[in-house]
Amino acid sequence: MDFFDNLRDKLATTGKDVSDKAKEAAAIAKLKTQISLEEGKLKGLYADLGRAFYENPENENIEAYKDSITAVKEVLAGYESELANLKGLKTCTNCGARMAKEVLFCSKCGAKNEVPEPEPQETVDAEAAQEAKKCPVCEAEVTEDMAFCEVCGTKLDD
């Protein structure tokens, strides 16, 4: 009976994982739709502002357009931040590049970012680990587009 109990538990866990991933995917799709709508609003406001300024540069409504644009940009930034959070990303405090939450150094500018909360490490396939490019100092896995190591901040050679 242990086999069937283990199988039942494994199926229940897998079903929950699939359900969680589906909910996450739906949330991401919803946020992307909201971001697209806000970007459309922003584009329309810029077009209206340009038209109003062209027709009458002293128009008092110009400030109202600026306020509307600022408000839409704030909503858009909130959605983008929420989307990045769902995807497990954070923004570099120096250059604004997106990076995984667990990295310490930005791969674009090398700036040190906040110390992440430790998370359990997953086991990596030995063959894949051998093929991956590594930092010469800390041996962390790096990609071709990184200028700096995300773990120790070392500048990477091209």
Side-chain angles (χ1 to χ4, degrees):
M1 284 297 189
D2 279 345
F3 171 76
F4 290 112
D5 290 338
N6 289 339
L7 182 60
R8 182 190 69 228
D9 292 344
K10 185 72 167 175
L11 288 174
T13 302
T14 303
K16 185 181 180 321
D17 290 346
V18 169
S19 175
D20 290 345
K21 288 292 183 184
K23 287 177 186 176
E24 184 179 307
I28 288 172
K30 181 179 177 185
L31 278 171
K32 285 183 176 183
T33 299
Q34 290 171 323
I35 288 171
S36 180
L37 291 172
E38 292 300 317
E39 287 173 340
K41 285 182 193 177
L42 191 58
K43 188 175 180 179
L45 284 169
Y46 278 130
D48 292 345
L49 172 63
R51 189 177 310 106
F53 184 77
Y54 177 77
E55 291 172 357
N56 184 5
E58 287 81 31
N59 190 339
E60 296 122 21
N61 292 335
I62 301 284
E63 288 302 317
Y65 282 112
K66 289 180 182 179
D67 294 340
S68 296
I69 289 170
T70 301
V72 170
K73 281 185 169 185
E74 288 173 0
V75 170
L76 191 55
Y79 286 149
E80 288 173 344
S81 176
E82 194 175 338
L83 180 62
N85 194 28
L86 277 174
K87 290 182 171 185
L89 301 174
K90 67 179 178 182
T91 303
C92 175
T93 55
N94 186 50
C95 71
R98 295 282 188 199
M99 65 185 115
K101 285 183 180 179
E102 62 273 0
V103 299
L104 294 174
F105 293 88
C106 178
S107 65
K108 299 296 179 201
C109 71
K112 184 172 184 175
N113 283 260
E114 64 190 44
V115 178
E117 296 177 19
E119 293 183 16
Q121 299 259 338
E122 293 183 26
T123 57
V124 179
D125 183 9
E127 287 183 22
Q130 288 178 352
E131 293 177 23
K133 185 177 172 186
K134 297 203 181 277
C135 171
V137 174
C138 70
E139 296 189 5
E141 190 171 321
V142 295
T143 60
E144 293 295 325
D145 64 332
M146 291 180 175
F148 294 87
C149 176
E150 297 174 326
V151 177
C152 69
T154 301
K155 181 161 178 50
L156 302 171
D157 296 329
D158 293 326

